[in-house]
């Protein structure tokens, strides 16, 4: 029993580490997009011709979306309309959530298959304004995102079947500490 517990703790540490890494990458990409937009505005003010900022910002945005999708799914922050599902009995809600995660797995596999074909057919193709960026690098990053989306959906299915919470808040400790500090400040401590 203790071996299973240790394996479970190790899995949770690996999952948390991965999700924290993805969060850091997404924050960095968002900051790069912000910097590129500032550069673009400044260049337009001084009528300096440049054509790389828009394309690089678009690439960063795509990477942020595809790499961040597993993070949002794991945290339960994905966008969904669940008004009807929330009115259903608990067992039906569980079954619907399992079905949704199965469909997410199928979608991920189909996207991975399509991306692999795209990678094979676009060998050597570069970005238009940034010839040093190969498009297959971006498609490969998207493959990584869909592979982890598949893994997260499988983990959610397993958690739902076991009756465990299917979402994971990777910033739980930081939020609890912030709440504690805020309550201490409110009390004048």
């Amino acid at each position: 029993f203790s071996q299973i517990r240790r394996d479970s703790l190790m899995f949770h540490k690996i999952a948390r580490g991965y999700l924290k890494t993805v969060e850091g990458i997404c924050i960095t990409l968002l900051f790069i997009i912000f910097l590129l937009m500032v550069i673009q505005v400044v260049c337009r003010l001084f009528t300096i011709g440049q054509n790389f900022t828009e394309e690089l910002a678009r690439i960063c945005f795509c990477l942020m979306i595809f790499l961040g999708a597993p993070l949002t799914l794991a945290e339960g922050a994905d966008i969904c309309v669940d008004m009807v599902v929330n009115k259903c009995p608990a067992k039906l809600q569980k079954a619907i959530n399992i079905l949704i995660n199965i469909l997410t797995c199928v979608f991920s596999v189909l996207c991975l298959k399509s991306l692999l074909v795209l990678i094979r057919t676009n060998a050597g193709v570069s970005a238009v304004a940034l010839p040093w960026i190969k498009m297959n690098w971006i498609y490969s990053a998207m493959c990584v995102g869909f592979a982890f989306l598949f893994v997260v959906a499988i983990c959610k299915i397993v958690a739902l079947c076991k009756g465990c919470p299917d979402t994971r808040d990777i910033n739980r400790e930081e939020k609890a500490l912030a709440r504690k500090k805020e309550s201490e400040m409110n009390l004048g401590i």
Side-chain angles (χ1 to χ4, degrees), residues 2 14 21 53 80 84 94 98 105 108 123 126 137 143 185:
S2 65
I14 291 170
T21 302
T53 56
C80 60
V84 175
K94 181 178 174 180
I98 290 172
C105 289
S108 298
S126 299
W137 299 346
C143 279
M185 290 172 70

Side-chain angles (χ1 to χ4, degrees), residues 6-37:
R6 273 184 271 152
D7 290 344
S8 176
L9 287 173
M10 185 178 71
F11 174 75
H12 288 294
K13 284 183 181 180
I14 291 170
R16 186 176 189 281
Y18 163 74
L19 293 173
K20 282 296 234 183
T21 302
V22 168
E23 183 181 52
I25 290 169
C26 288
I27 289 169
T28 303
L29 288 169
L30 188 61
F31 183 70
I32 291 170
I33 292 169
F34 171 74
L35 286 178
L36 290 168
M37 293 300 105

Side-chain angles (χ1 to χ4, degrees), residues 126-188:
S126 299
V128 175
L130 304 161
W132 53 273
I133 293 181
K134 302 295 179 198
M135 294 305 293
N136 278 348
W137 299 346
I138 298 158
Y139 302 144
S140 297
M142 290 177 181
C143 279
V144 169
F146 279 115
F148 281 112
L149 188 68
F150 177 83
V151 170
V152 168
I154 291 291
C155 291
K156 287 182 72 140
I157 292 169
V158 170
L160 284 166
C161 289
K162 290 169 104 179
C164 301
D166 66 331
T167 58
R168 171 183 305 275
D169 187 1
I170 62 170
N171 296 313
R172 181 178 48 229
E173 293 87 12
E174 292 90 350
K175 289 177 183 174
L177 183 62
R179 268 190 244 109
K180 181 181 177 197
K181 285 182 180 180
E182 185 179 319
S183 68
E184 288 173 355
M185 290 172 70
N186 289 341
L187 296 174

